[in-house]
Amino acid sequence: MDFTFSEDAELIRQTVHEFVRRDLLPQEPKFLNAKTSSERQEIARNATEKIREMGLYSAGVPEEFGGGGLGPIETCLIAEELSYTIIPVEWGDFTPILYECSETQKKDYLLPVVSGEKNYALAFRELEPFSAPEQMKTTAQPEGENYRLNGIKELSRDEFDFCLVFARTPEGVTCFLLNPNTPGCEIQTEFEPARLILTDCL
């Protein structure tokens, strides 16, 4: 059995390998010594922009959604090489939950994420750890065609265009698309990680 990579896969691996060592590793002292999260985020944004210029942003997203259509081996190689730096680089490796959006939601959320026009935060963790869905404290109660959300979540990032909120409904845990300017939604960035406060958010 042959475990060697294809020429294309090896080329991708080598390209990202050189990028990390040439552009990112020299930036790590500056990243570590940054006095504010804004400074660190600026370094990370610059790294992400370079990935976009290299044509590797959203490389693993299916072509039907505007991505590069790379397979699991190539995307794993990209992730492995990027793991050699402490600088968080976004390269379009996002949750496939967005693939399940409605056609309207795909236009408003999925496609802009694939192109890099928008980014999102995950709101899954809570202040008190839980090991089973029924232990999740954030709730979503049906109200007409909508849901009313209440609870406190920890955010995966503090700068985003929308977030994916996981909450417990009467039927089980569901993921909700939420815009940060929705009434009843408050972002508290003074905490690490940032918190999402939901108070009768409809």
Side-chain angles (χ1 to χ4, degrees):
M1 184 176 291
D2 186 5
F3 289 100
T4 58
F5 299 129
S6 67
E7 290 186 11
D8 288 344
E10 180 58 33
L11 177 60
I12 291 171
R13 187 199 68 78
Q14 187 61 33
T15 298
V16 181
H17 178 88
E18 293 175 357
F19 163 67
V20 169
R21 279 146 185 78
R22 181 187 65 245
D23 295 274
L24 301 187
L25 294 187
Q27 289 290 314
E28 288 188 349
K30 182 178 179 181
F31 184 85
L32 286 171
N33 295 320
K35 299 186 181 301
T36 65
S37 61
S38 296
E39 293 179 40
R40 290 191 293 272
Q41 289 170 0
E42 180 64 23
I43 294 172
R45 277 194 293 267
N46 290 338
T48 297
E49 184 58 34
K50 290 180 180 179
I51 280 286
R52 187 176 287 109
E53 293 171 358
M54 294 163 62
L56 292 176
Y57 195 85
S58 297
V61 176
E63 292 180 340
E64 63 181 294
F65 299 127
L70 294 183
I73 292 178
E74 290 83 1
T75 53
C76 283
L77 289 174
I78 294 174
E80 179 182 16
E81 292 300 331
L82 290 177
S83 71
Y84 288 109
T85 177
I86 61 172
I87 297 175
V89 183
E90 293 188 21
W91 56 283
D93 180 29
F94 55 84
T95 174
I97 289 176
L98 291 174
Y99 297 156
E100 304 304 320
C101 289
S102 67
E103 292 305 314
T104 299
Q105 290 171 333
K106 286 177 181 176
K107 180 180 178 181
D108 293 338
Y109 298 99
L110 172 61
L111 298 184
V113 167
V114 173
S115 67
E117 298 172 39
K118 289 185 178 181
N119 56 44
Y120 67 92
L122 285 175
F124 182 80
R125 296 188 305 176
E126 299 186 341
L127 302 186
E128 295 183 17
F130 57 88
S131 58
E134 60 270 17
Q135 296 174 340
M136 185 178 289
K137 295 187 180 300
T138 301
T139 59
Q141 293 297 326
E143 189 163 316
E145 296 182 353
N146 298 309
Y147 284 83
R148 187 176 295 276
L149 278 67
N150 283 280
I152 302 176
K153 308 293 283 190
E154 291 184 338
L155 292 164
S156 61
R157 59 188 302 162
D158 56 13
E159 291 186 357
F160 55 90
D161 298 291
F162 66 94
C163 57
L164 298 175
V165 182
F166 292 81
R168 181 167 48 84
T169 72
E171 295 77 28
V173 174
T174 298
C175 179
F176 296 88
L177 286 165
L178 183 68
N179 292 314
N181 58 354
T182 302
C185 173
E186 179 187 357
I187 312 298
Q188 296 182 342
T189 57
E190 64 268 27
F191 296 100
E192 184 68 36
R195 295 178 182 177
L196 172 67
I197 312 298
L198 301 167
T199 307
D200 287 334
C201 183
L202 188 62

PDB file of all heavy atoms in Angstrom, residues 52-87:
ATOM      1  N   ARG A  52      -5.454  34.200   1.787  1.00  0.00           N
ATOM      2  CA  ARG A  52      -6.407  34.501   0.718  1.00  0.00           C
ATOM      3  C   ARG A  52      -5.666  34.815  -0.581  1.00  0.00           C
ATOM      4  O   ARG A  52      -6.071  34.373  -1.665  1.00  0.00           O
ATOM      5  CB  ARG A  52      -7.302  35.672   1.135  1.00  0.00           C
ATOM      6  CG  ARG A  52      -8.431  35.951   0.163  1.00  0.00           C
ATOM      7  CD  ARG A  52      -9.342  37.059   0.656  1.00  0.00           C
ATOM      8  NE  ARG A  52     -10.180  36.595   1.758  1.00  0.00           N
ATOM      9  CZ  ARG A  52     -10.047  36.972   3.024  1.00  0.00           C
ATOM     10  NH1 ARG A  52      -9.099  37.824   3.363  1.00  0.00           N
ATOM     11  NH2 ARG A  52     -10.851  36.511   3.952  1.00  0.00           N
ATOM     12  N   GLU A  53      -4.580  35.574  -0.480  1.00  0.00           N
ATOM     13  CA  GLU A  53      -3.790  35.911  -1.666  1.00  0.00           C
ATOM     14  C   GLU A  53      -3.162  34.669  -2.291  1.00  0.00           C
ATOM     15  O   GLU A  53      -2.947  34.619  -3.506  1.00  0.00           O
ATOM     16  CB  GLU A  53      -2.698  36.916  -1.286  1.00  0.00           C
ATOM     17  CG  GLU A  53      -3.236  38.285  -0.879  1.00  0.00           C
ATOM     18  CD  GLU A  53      -2.155  39.191  -0.313  1.00  0.00           C
ATOM     19  OE1 GLU A  53      -0.996  38.725  -0.210  1.00  0.00           O
ATOM     20  OE2 GLU A  53      -2.467  40.350   0.022  1.00  0.00           O
ATOM     21  N   MET A  54      -2.880  33.671  -1.468  1.00  0.00           N
ATOM     22  CA  MET A  54      -2.298  32.423  -1.967  1.00  0.00           C
ATOM     23  C   MET A  54      -3.341  31.523  -2.626  1.00  0.00           C
ATOM     24  O   MET A  54      -3.000  30.493  -3.208  1.00  0.00           O
ATOM     25  CB  MET A  54      -1.626  31.672  -0.809  1.00  0.00           C
ATOM     26  CG  MET A  54      -0.416  32.391  -0.229  1.00  0.00           C
ATOM     27  SD  MET A  54       0.056  31.748   1.405  1.00  0.00           S
ATOM     28  CE  MET A  54       0.465  30.047   1.003  1.00  0.00           C
ATOM     29  N   GLY A  55      -4.617  31.904  -2.518  1.00  0.00           N
ATOM     30  CA  GLY A  55      -5.679  31.107  -3.120  1.00  0.00           C
ATOM     31  C   GLY A  55      -6.077  29.895  -2.299  1.00  0.00           C
ATOM     32  O   GLY A  55      -6.700  28.969  -2.823  1.00  0.00           O
ATOM     33  N   LEU A  56      -5.738  29.900  -1.003  1.00  0.00           N
ATOM     34  CA  LEU A  56      -6.032  28.745  -0.160  1.00  0.00           C
ATOM     35  C   LEU A  56      -7.177  28.992   0.817  1.00  0.00           C
ATOM     36  O   LEU A  56      -7.513  28.111   1.598  1.00  0.00           O
ATOM     37  CB  LEU A  56      -4.777  28.333   0.622  1.00  0.00           C
ATOM     38  CG  LEU A  56      -3.640  27.757  -0.226  1.00  0.00           C
ATOM     39  CD1 LEU A  56      -2.425  27.469   0.638  1.00  0.00           C
ATOM     40  CD2 LEU A  56      -4.094  26.492  -0.948  1.00  0.00           C
ATOM     41  N   TYR A  57      -7.760  30.187   0.772  1.00  0.00           N
ATOM     42  CA  TYR A  57      -8.889  30.448   1.663  1.00  0.00           C
ATOM     43  C   TYR A  57     -10.102  29.643   1.193  1.00  0.00           C
ATOM     44  O   TYR A  57     -10.427  29.621   0.007  1.00  0.00           O
ATOM     45  CB  TYR A  57      -9.224  31.939   1.681  1.00  0.00           C
ATOM     46  CG  TYR A  57     -10.131  32.335   2.821  1.00  0.00           C
ATOM     47  CD1 TYR A  57      -9.602  32.618   4.071  1.00  0.00           C
ATOM     48  CD2 TYR A  57     -11.505  32.397   2.652  1.00  0.00           C
ATOM     49  CE1 TYR A  57     -10.423  32.966   5.132  1.00  0.00           C
ATOM     50  CE2 TYR A  57     -12.335  32.746   3.701  1.00  0.00           C
ATOM     51  CZ  TYR A  57     -11.793  33.027   4.940  1.00  0.00           C
ATOM     52  OH  TYR A  57     -12.616  33.362   5.989  1.00  0.00           O
ATOM     53  N   SER A  58     -10.754  28.953   2.121  1.00  0.00           N
ATOM     54  CA  SER A  58     -11.900  28.081   1.813  1.00  0.00           C
ATOM     55  C   SER A  58     -11.513  26.969   0.850  1.00  0.00           C
ATOM     56  O   SER A  58     -12.330  26.496   0.060  1.00  0.00           O
ATOM     57  CB  SER A  58     -13.071  28.892   1.231  1.00  0.00           C
ATOM     58  OG  SER A  58     -13.553  29.821   2.175  1.00  0.00           O
ATOM     59  N   ALA A  59     -10.261  26.537   0.928  1.00  0.00           N
ATOM     60  CA  ALA A  59      -9.768  25.518  -0.002  1.00  0.00           C
ATOM     61  C   ALA A  59     -10.515  24.199   0.123  1.00  0.00           C
ATOM     62  O   ALA A  59     -10.680  23.473  -0.862  1.00  0.00           O
ATOM     63  CB  ALA A  59      -8.272  25.291   0.226  1.00  0.00           C
ATOM     64  N   GLY A  60     -10.983  23.869   1.325  1.00  0.00           N
ATOM     65  CA  GLY A  60     -11.658  22.598   1.527  1.00  0.00           C
ATOM     66  C   GLY A  60     -13.163  22.649   1.354  1.00  0.00           C
ATOM     67  O   GLY A  60     -13.843  21.630   1.513  1.00  0.00           O
ATOM     68  N   VAL A  61     -13.693  23.819   1.015  1.00  0.00           N
ATOM     69  CA  VAL A  61     -15.137  23.959   0.825  1.00  0.00           C
ATOM     70  C   VAL A  61     -15.515  23.436  -0.562  1.00  0.00           C
ATOM     71  O   VAL A  61     -14.810  23.694  -1.540  1.00  0.00           O
ATOM     72  CB  VAL A  61     -15.553  25.443   0.961  1.00  0.00           C
ATOM     73  CG1 VAL A  61     -17.038  25.626   0.666  1.00  0.00           C
ATOM     74  CG2 VAL A  61     -15.217  25.950   2.355  1.00  0.00           C
ATOM     75  N   PRO A  62     -16.614  22.687  -0.670  1.00  0.00           N
ATOM     76  CA  PRO A  62     -17.032  22.182  -1.986  1.00  0.00           C
ATOM     77  C   PRO A  62     -17.154  23.296  -3.019  1.00  0.00           C
ATOM     78  O   PRO A  62     -17.558  24.418  -2.700  1.00  0.00           O
ATOM     79  CB  PRO A  62     -18.397  21.541  -1.694  1.00  0.00           C
ATOM     80  CG  PRO A  62     -18.315  21.135  -0.250  1.00  0.00           C
ATOM     81  CD  PRO A  62     -17.509  22.212   0.413  1.00  0.00           C
ATOM     82  N   GLU A  63     -16.814  22.974  -4.247  1.00  0.00           N
ATOM     83  CA  GLU A  63     -16.846  23.972  -5.317  1.00  0.00           C
ATOM     84  C   GLU A  63     -18.243  24.536  -5.535  1.00  0.00           C
ATOM     85  O   GLU A  63     -18.400  25.681  -5.953  1.00  0.00           O
ATOM     86  CB  GLU A  63     -16.311  23.359  -6.609  1.00  0.00           C
ATOM     87  CG  GLU A  63     -14.821  23.039  -6.560  1.00  0.00           C
ATOM     88  CD  GLU A  63     -14.320  22.438  -7.853  1.00  0.00           C
ATOM     89  OE1 GLU A  63     -15.160  21.928  -8.634  1.00  0.00           O
ATOM     90  OE2 GLU A  63     -13.100  22.477  -8.099  1.00  0.00           O
ATOM     91  N   GLU A  64     -19.273  23.738  -5.250  1.00  0.00           N
ATOM     92  CA  GLU A  64     -20.645  24.214  -5.458  1.00  0.00           C
ATOM     93  C   GLU A  64     -20.979  25.403  -4.567  1.00  0.00           C
ATOM     94  O   GLU A  64     -21.913  26.159  -4.844  1.00  0.00           O
ATOM     95  CB  GLU A  64     -21.643  23.089  -5.195  1.00  0.00           C
ATOM     96  CG  GLU A  64     -21.634  22.571  -3.765  1.00  0.00           C
ATOM     97  CD  GLU A  64     -22.624  21.441  -3.547  1.00  0.00           C
ATOM     98  OE1 GLU A  64     -23.841  21.699  -3.651  1.00  0.00           O
ATOM     99  OE2 GLU A  64     -22.173  20.316  -3.287  1.00  0.00           O
ATOM    100  N   PHE A  65     -20.206  25.581  -3.490  1.00  0.00           N
ATOM    101  CA  PHE A  65     -20.419  26.715  -2.597  1.00  0.00           C
ATOM    102  C   PHE A  65     -19.358  27.797  -2.798  1.00  0.00           C
ATOM    103  O   PHE A  65     -19.251  28.723  -1.999  1.00  0.00           O
ATOM    104  CB  PHE A  65     -20.415  26.257  -1.139  1.00  0.00           C
ATOM    105  CG  PHE A  65     -21.494  25.260  -0.816  1.00  0.00           C
ATOM    106  CD1 PHE A  65     -21.180  24.053  -0.215  1.00  0.00           C
ATOM    107  CD2 PHE A  65     -22.818  25.516  -1.127  1.00  0.00           C
ATOM    108  CE1 PHE A  65     -22.166  23.128   0.081  1.00  0.00           C
ATOM    109  CE2 PHE A  65     -23.815  24.595  -0.836  1.00  0.00           C
ATOM    110  CZ  PHE A  65     -23.488  23.395  -0.230  1.00  0.00           C
ATOM    111  N   GLY A  66     -18.555  27.659  -3.834  1.00  0.00           N
ATOM    112  CA  GLY A  66     -17.555  28.675  -4.128  1.00  0.00           C
ATOM    113  C   GLY A  66     -16.194  28.425  -3.530  1.00  0.00           C
ATOM    114  O   GLY A  66     -15.327  29.301  -3.563  1.00  0.00           O
ATOM    115  N   GLY A  67     -15.976  27.230  -2.977  1.00  0.00           N
ATOM    116  CA  GLY A  67     -14.686  26.913  -2.376  1.00  0.00           C
ATOM    117  C   GLY A  67     -13.731  26.256  -3.350  1.00  0.00           C
ATOM    118  O   GLY A  67     -14.013  26.127  -4.546  1.00  0.00           O
ATOM    119  N   GLY A  68     -12.589  25.825  -2.819  1.00  0.00           N
ATOM    120  CA  GLY A  68     -11.563  25.228  -3.662  1.00  0.00           C
ATOM    121  C   GLY A  68     -11.785  23.766  -3.980  1.00  0.00           C
ATOM    122  O   GLY A  68     -11.168  23.227  -4.901  1.00  0.00           O
ATOM    123  N   GLY A  69     -12.640  23.096  -3.213  1.00  0.00           N
ATOM    124  CA  GLY A  69     -12.966  21.708  -3.500  1.00  0.00           C
ATOM    125  C   GLY A  69     -11.862  20.709  -3.199  1.00  0.00           C
ATOM    126  O   GLY A  69     -11.884  19.593  -3.720  1.00  0.00           O
ATOM    127  N   LEU A  70     -10.897  21.080  -2.348  1.00  0.00           N
ATOM    128  CA  LEU A  70      -9.836  20.133  -2.013  1.00  0.00           C
ATOM    129  C   LEU A  70     -10.384  19.000  -1.152  1.00  0.00           C
ATOM    130  O   LEU A  70     -11.348  19.171  -0.412  1.00  0.00           O
ATOM    131  CB  LEU A  70      -8.703  20.839  -1.271  1.00  0.00           C
ATOM    132  CG  LEU A  70      -7.907  21.887  -2.052  1.00  0.00           C
ATOM    133  CD1 LEU A  70      -6.773  22.424  -1.187  1.00  0.00           C
ATOM    134  CD2 LEU A  70      -7.351  21.307  -3.343  1.00  0.00           C
ATOM    135  N   GLY A  71      -9.735  17.853  -1.231  1.00  0.00           N
ATOM    136  CA  GLY A  71     -10.164  16.691  -0.479  1.00  0.00           C
ATOM    137  C   GLY A  71      -9.645  16.698   0.946  1.00  0.00           C
ATOM    138  O   GLY A  71      -8.909  17.602   1.359  1.00  0.00           O
ATOM    139  N   PRO A  72     -10.002  15.668   1.728  1.00  0.00           N
ATOM    140  CA  PRO A  72      -9.613  15.620   3.144  1.00  0.00           C
ATOM    141  C   PRO A  72      -8.108  15.535   3.367  1.00  0.00           C
ATOM    142  O   PRO A  72      -7.605  16.073   4.355  1.00  0.00           O
ATOM    143  CB  PRO A  72     -10.334  14.370   3.663  1.00  0.00           C
ATOM    144  CG  PRO A  72     -10.629  13.551   2.445  1.00  0.00           C
ATOM    145  CD  PRO A  72     -10.859  14.533   1.350  1.00  0.00           C
ATOM    146  N   ILE A  73      -7.379  14.878   2.480  1.00  0.00           N
ATOM    147  CA  ILE A  73      -5.931  14.776   2.668  1.00  0.00           C
ATOM    148  C   ILE A  73      -5.285  16.149   2.534  1.00  0.00           C
ATOM    149  O   ILE A  73      -4.471  16.568   3.369  1.00  0.00           O
ATOM    150  CB  ILE A  73      -5.316  13.785   1.661  1.00  0.00           C
ATOM    151  CG1 ILE A  73      -5.770  12.359   1.987  1.00  0.00           C
ATOM    152  CG2 ILE A  73      -3.788  13.878   1.680  1.00  0.00           C
ATOM    153  CD1 ILE A  73      -5.254  11.314   1.026  1.00  0.00           C
ATOM    154  N   GLU A  74      -5.656  16.877   1.484  1.00  0.00           N
ATOM    155  CA  GLU A  74      -5.072  18.203   1.264  1.00  0.00           C
ATOM    156  C   GLU A  74      -5.431  19.168   2.395  1.00  0.00           C
ATOM    157  O   GLU A  74      -4.577  19.928   2.870  1.00  0.00           O
ATOM    158  CB  GLU A  74      -5.539  18.773  -0.076  1.00  0.00           C
ATOM    159  CG  GLU A  74      -4.970  18.074  -1.297  1.00  0.00           C
ATOM    160  CD  GLU A  74      -5.733  16.817  -1.677  1.00  0.00           C
ATOM    161  OE1 GLU A  74      -6.732  16.485  -0.984  1.00  0.00           O
ATOM    162  OE2 GLU A  74      -5.349  16.162  -2.655  1.00  0.00           O
ATOM    163  N   THR A  75      -6.697  19.133   2.833  1.00  0.00           N
ATOM    164  CA  THR A  75      -7.104  20.051   3.897  1.00  0.00           C
ATOM    165  C   THR A  75      -6.428  19.688   5.221  1.00  0.00           C
ATOM    166  O   THR A  75      -6.078  20.577   6.005  1.00  0.00           O
ATOM    167  CB  THR A  75      -8.633  20.054   4.068  1.00  0.00           C
ATOM    168  OG1 THR A  75      -9.108  18.717   4.246  1.00  0.00           O
ATOM    169  CG2 THR A  75      -9.306  20.661   2.851  1.00  0.00           C
ATOM    170  N   CYS A  76      -6.226  18.404   5.465  1.00  0.00           N
ATOM    171  CA  CYS A  76      -5.513  17.990   6.682  1.00  0.00           C
ATOM    172  C   CYS A  76      -4.061  18.458   6.646  1.00  0.00           C
ATOM    173  O   CYS A  76      -3.499  18.859   7.675  1.00  0.00           O
ATOM    174  CB  CYS A  76      -5.567  16.474   6.846  1.00  0.00           C
ATOM    175  SG  CYS A  76      -7.145  15.852   7.461  1.00  0.00           S
ATOM    176  N   LEU A  77      -3.452  18.422   5.471  1.00  0.00           N
ATOM    177  CA  LEU A  77      -2.071  18.885   5.341  1.00  0.00           C
ATOM    178  C   LEU A  77      -1.974  20.388   5.605  1.00  0.00           C
ATOM    179  O   LEU A  77      -1.030  20.858   6.251  1.00  0.00           O
ATOM    180  CB  LEU A  77      -1.532  18.553   3.949  1.00  0.00           C
ATOM    181  CG  LEU A  77      -1.260  17.068   3.676  1.00  0.00           C
ATOM    182  CD1 LEU A  77      -0.879  16.860   2.219  1.00  0.00           C
ATOM    183  CD2 LEU A  77      -0.161  16.544   4.591  1.00  0.00           C
ATOM    184  N   ILE A  78      -2.958  21.146   5.116  1.00  0.00           N
ATOM    185  CA  ILE A  78      -2.974  22.585   5.379  1.00  0.00           C
ATOM    186  C   ILE A  78      -3.099  22.833   6.879  1.00  0.00           C
ATOM    187  O   ILE A  78      -2.355  23.626   7.465  1.00  0.00           O
ATOM    188  CB  ILE A  78      -4.137  23.263   4.627  1.00  0.00           C
ATOM    189  CG1 ILE A  78      -3.913  23.191   3.115  1.00  0.00           C
ATOM    190  CG2 ILE A  78      -4.280  24.724   5.069  1.00  0.00           C
ATOM    191  CD1 ILE A  78      -5.083  23.708   2.297  1.00  0.00           C
ATOM    192  N   ALA A  79      -4.050  22.136   7.512  1.00  0.00           N
ATOM    193  CA  ALA A  79      -4.266  22.311   8.948  1.00  0.00           C
ATOM    194  C   ALA A  79      -3.026  21.920   9.744  1.00  0.00           C
ATOM    195  O   ALA A  79      -2.657  22.590  10.718  1.00  0.00           O
ATOM    196  CB  ALA A  79      -5.468  21.483   9.393  1.00  0.00           C
ATOM    197  N   GLU A  80      -2.366  20.846   9.332  1.00  0.00           N
ATOM    198  CA  GLU A  80      -1.170  20.398  10.046  1.00  0.00           C
ATOM    199  C   GLU A  80      -0.061  21.439   9.971  1.00  0.00           C
ATOM    200  O   GLU A  80       0.573  21.762  10.981  1.00  0.00           O
ATOM    201  CB  GLU A  80      -0.676  19.076   9.471  1.00  0.00           C
ATOM    202  CG  GLU A  80       0.580  18.556  10.159  1.00  0.00           C
ATOM    203  CD  GLU A  80       1.106  17.274   9.549  1.00  0.00           C
ATOM    204  OE1 GLU A  80       0.706  16.938   8.416  1.00  0.00           O
ATOM    205  OE2 GLU A  80       1.923  16.615  10.205  1.00  0.00           O
ATOM    206  N   GLU A  81       0.179  21.973   8.789  1.00  0.00           N
ATOM    207  CA  GLU A  81       1.256  22.955   8.642  1.00  0.00           C
ATOM    208  C   GLU A  81       0.941  24.244   9.399  1.00  0.00           C
ATOM    209  O   GLU A  81       1.830  24.850   9.998  1.00  0.00           O
ATOM    210  CB  GLU A  81       1.501  23.247   7.160  1.00  0.00           C
ATOM    211  CG  GLU A  81       2.093  22.081   6.384  1.00  0.00           C
ATOM    212  CD  GLU A  81       3.449  21.640   6.924  1.00  0.00           C
ATOM    213  OE1 GLU A  81       4.185  22.485   7.479  1.00  0.00           O
ATOM    214  OE2 GLU A  81       3.768  20.440   6.797  1.00  0.00           O
ATOM    215  N   LEU A  82      -0.324  24.654   9.401  1.00  0.00           N
ATOM    216  CA  LEU A  82      -0.695  25.874  10.120  1.00  0.00           C
ATOM    217  C   LEU A  82      -0.634  25.683  11.632  1.00  0.00           C
ATOM    218  O   LEU A  82      -0.573  26.659  12.382  1.00  0.00           O
ATOM    219  CB  LEU A  82      -2.100  26.327   9.710  1.00  0.00           C
ATOM    220  CG  LEU A  82      -2.240  26.871   8.284  1.00  0.00           C
ATOM    221  CD1 LEU A  82      -3.695  27.203   7.983  1.00  0.00           C
ATOM    222  CD2 LEU A  82      -1.364  28.103   8.078  1.00  0.00           C
ATOM    223  N   SER A  83      -0.649  24.432  12.079  1.00  0.00           N
ATOM    224  CA  SER A  83      -0.590  24.165  13.522  1.00  0.00           C
ATOM    225  C   SER A  83       0.801  24.406  14.094  1.00  0.00           C
ATOM    226  O   SER A  83       0.973  24.414  15.311  1.00  0.00           O
ATOM    227  CB  SER A  83      -1.016  22.721  13.809  1.00  0.00           C
ATOM    228  OG  SER A  83      -0.028  21.795  13.377  1.00  0.00           O
ATOM    229  N   TYR A  84       1.794  24.631  13.230  1.00  0.00           N
ATOM    230  CA  TYR A  84       3.154  24.863  13.706  1.00  0.00           C
ATOM    231  C   TYR A  84       3.388  26.309  14.135  1.00  0.00           C
ATOM    232  O   TYR A  84       4.505  26.658  14.523  1.00  0.00           O
ATOM    233  CB  TYR A  84       4.167  24.471  12.629  1.00  0.00           C
ATOM    234  CG  TYR A  84       4.279  22.976  12.437  1.00  0.00           C
ATOM    235  CD1 TYR A  84       3.792  22.367  11.284  1.00  0.00           C
ATOM    236  CD2 TYR A  84       4.849  22.162  13.413  1.00  0.00           C
ATOM    237  CE1 TYR A  84       3.872  20.993  11.109  1.00  0.00           C
ATOM    238  CE2 TYR A  84       4.933  20.791  13.247  1.00  0.00           C
ATOM    239  CZ  TYR A  84       4.441  20.211  12.090  1.00  0.00           C
ATOM    240  OH  TYR A  84       4.516  18.849  11.926  1.00  0.00           O
ATOM    241  N   THR A  85       2.365  27.144  14.047  1.00  0.00           N
ATOM    242  CA  THR A  85       2.478  28.519  14.520  1.00  0.00           C
ATOM    243  C   THR A  85       1.412  28.789  15.566  1.00  0.00           C
ATOM    244  O   THR A  85       0.331  28.190  15.533  1.00  0.00           O
ATOM    245  CB  THR A  85       2.332  29.526  13.363  1.00  0.00           C
ATOM    246  OG1 THR A  85       2.385  30.860  13.891  1.00  0.00           O
ATOM    247  CG2 THR A  85       1.024  29.335  12.618  1.00  0.00           C
ATOM    248  N   ILE A  86       1.731  29.692  16.495  1.00  0.00           N
ATOM    249  CA  ILE A  86       0.745  30.059  17.516  1.00  0.00           C
ATOM    250  C   ILE A  86      -0.208  31.131  17.007  1.00  0.00           C
ATOM    251  O   ILE A  86      -1.206  31.433  17.662  1.00  0.00           O
ATOM    252  CB  ILE A  86       1.443  30.562  18.795  1.00  0.00           C
ATOM    253  CG1 ILE A  86       2.270  31.814  18.486  1.00  0.00           C
ATOM    254  CG2 ILE A  86       2.298  29.473  19.415  1.00  0.00           C
ATOM    255  CD1 ILE A  86       2.833  32.482  19.718  1.00  0.00           C
ATOM    256  N   ILE A  87       0.085  31.699  15.847  1.00  0.00           N
ATOM    257  CA  ILE A  87      -0.785  32.735  15.284  1.00  0.00           C
ATOM    258  C   ILE A  87      -2.013  32.063  14.668  1.00  0.00           C
ATOM    259  O   ILE A  87      -1.883  31.214  13.783  1.00  0.00           O
ATOM    260  CB  ILE A  87      -0.041  33.557  14.221  1.00  0.00           C
ATOM    261  CG1 ILE A  87       1.142  34.289  14.865  1.00  0.00           C
ATOM    262  CG2 ILE A  87      -0.982  34.556  13.545  1.00  0.00           C
ATOM    263  CD1 ILE A  87       2.012  35.036  13.884  1.00  0.00           C
TER     264      ILE A  87
END
